[in-house]
Amino acid sequence: MAKLIYSAITSLDGYIEDEDGNFDWDAPDEEVHAFVNHLERSVGTYLYGRRMYETMVYWETAHVLPDEPPVFRDYTEIWQAAEKLVYSKSLETVSSDRTRIERDFDPDAVRELKASAVRDISVGGPDLAAHAIKAGLVDEFQFFVSPIVVGGGKPSLPSNARFKLELIDERRFGNGVVYTRYRV
Ligand SMILES: NC(=O)c1ccc[n+]([C@@H]2O[C@H](COP(=O)([O-])OP(=O)(O)OC[C@H]3O[C@@H](n4cnc5c(N)ncnc54)[C@H](OP(=O)(O)O)[C@@H]3O)[C@@H](O)[C@H]2O)c1
């Protein structure tokens, strides 16, 4: 059975983007990105909210950019090889391979996917992940917390969820980012 993992890169106060919609303050450097690549090699399917997909689809063509460091090229290959399900009522087409649109988040369908998948499943961004969290489908949380307070914006976690977690891994990086991994 595959795990469903919610990963987020956040500020210390728990936001994935600030009130202006910016998140350039938490862009992973090469060291963090190499570790993200290591984690994401186990992911076979990404469940994306439409907004997260619109950001991540950059990786479909990132390999054509000159002078990309190897760590970014590696991530491009990881992303392109994975299956993607994009949840959206508004999106008409997708611009990446191995991608299909889902009009509704059906917890039973995700449960079945977890039961049949050989490799792990990742869910993001926070709006979509909230559905999975509230349905009790998320098995692990992975947070990359950046050393910055932004004061407001889009929280990484829904406000009305409550559950206990077991810390199963942690790591610190040279740029001050701290990674924590929790099992539900
Ligand atoms: N912190 C970081 O490093 C980082 C990295 C990448 C991206 N981001 C940013 O994080 C943000 C994404 O998070 P988000 O929480 O705002 O959005 P999101 O969860 O990625 O996407 C929200 C959209 O997903 C669709 N959706 C959500 N629930 C659905 C459901 N039950 N059924 C069908 N469709 C559903 C809807 O699309 P429709 O409106 O089309 O129906 C909804 O507007 C983006 O701004 C992204 O740029 C941050």
Side-chain angles (χ1 to χ4, degrees):
M1 179 152 164
K3 289 192 296 272
L4 182 62
I5 300 164
Y6 173 46
S7 299
I9 303 178
T10 80
S11 62
L12 179 61
D13 44 350
Y15 296 102
I16 60 112
E17 63 181 17
D18 63 27
E19 284 174 339
D20 298 322
N22 293 325
F23 52 92
D24 50 355
W25 37 264
D26 71 4
D29 67 6
E30 286 190 45
E31 185 194 13
V32 174
H33 221 300
F35 186 70
V36 169
N37 292 359
H38 159 70
L39 292 177
E40 303 229 339
R41 277 182 222 286
S42 69
V43 172
T45 306
Y46 291 104
L47 311 185
Y48 284 130
R50 192 251 313 155
R51 293 188 68 211
M52 187 59 105
Y53 173 73
E54 287 173 347
T55 300
M56 299 304 286
V57 76
Y58 160 83
W59 296 101
E60 186 72 2
T61 50
H63 62 284
V64 299
L65 299 179
D67 307 324
E68 284 289 336
V71 74
F72 295 115
R73 284 175 177 266
D74 287 351
Y75 187 73
T76 306
E77 287 169 17
I78 293 166
W79 196 83
Q80 291 178 5
E83 300 294 319
K84 296 110 188 160
L85 272 60
V86 185
Y87 290 81
S88 172
K89 296 196 194 308
S90 66
L91 202 63
E92 289 176 4
T93 56
V94 292
S95 47
S96 51
D97 289 339
R98 300 188 177 86
T99 307
R100 68 169 205 264
I101 299 172
E102 293 284 344
R103 295 297 177 202
D104 290 295
F105 184 84
D106 176 0
D108 288 335
V110 175
R111 218 167 268 121
E112 282 168 28
L113 181 62
K114 283 174 64 175
S116 62
V118 177
R119 301 176 68 205
D120 286 338
I121 304 162
S122 171
V123 62
D127 272 1
L128 180 70
H131 293 280
I133 293 167
K134 288 176 187 168
L137 289 166
V138 174
D139 303 291
E140 272 189 18
F141 290 81
Q142 297 174 353
F143 294 111
F144 290 84
V145 178
S146 297
I148 184 172
V149 172
V150 298
K154 164 85 60 170
S156 61
L157 290 168
S159 57
N160 51 353
R162 183 179 172 132
F163 43 88
K164 289 193 83 172
L165 300 165
E166 178 191 358
L167 180 67
I168 54 174
D169 197 10
E170 79 280 330
R171 184 177 292 232
R172 63 182 286 173
F173 297 90
N175 64 359
V177 167
V178 173
Y179 162 77
T180 50
R181 177 177 190 158
Y182 299 91
R183 185 186 294 137
V184 176

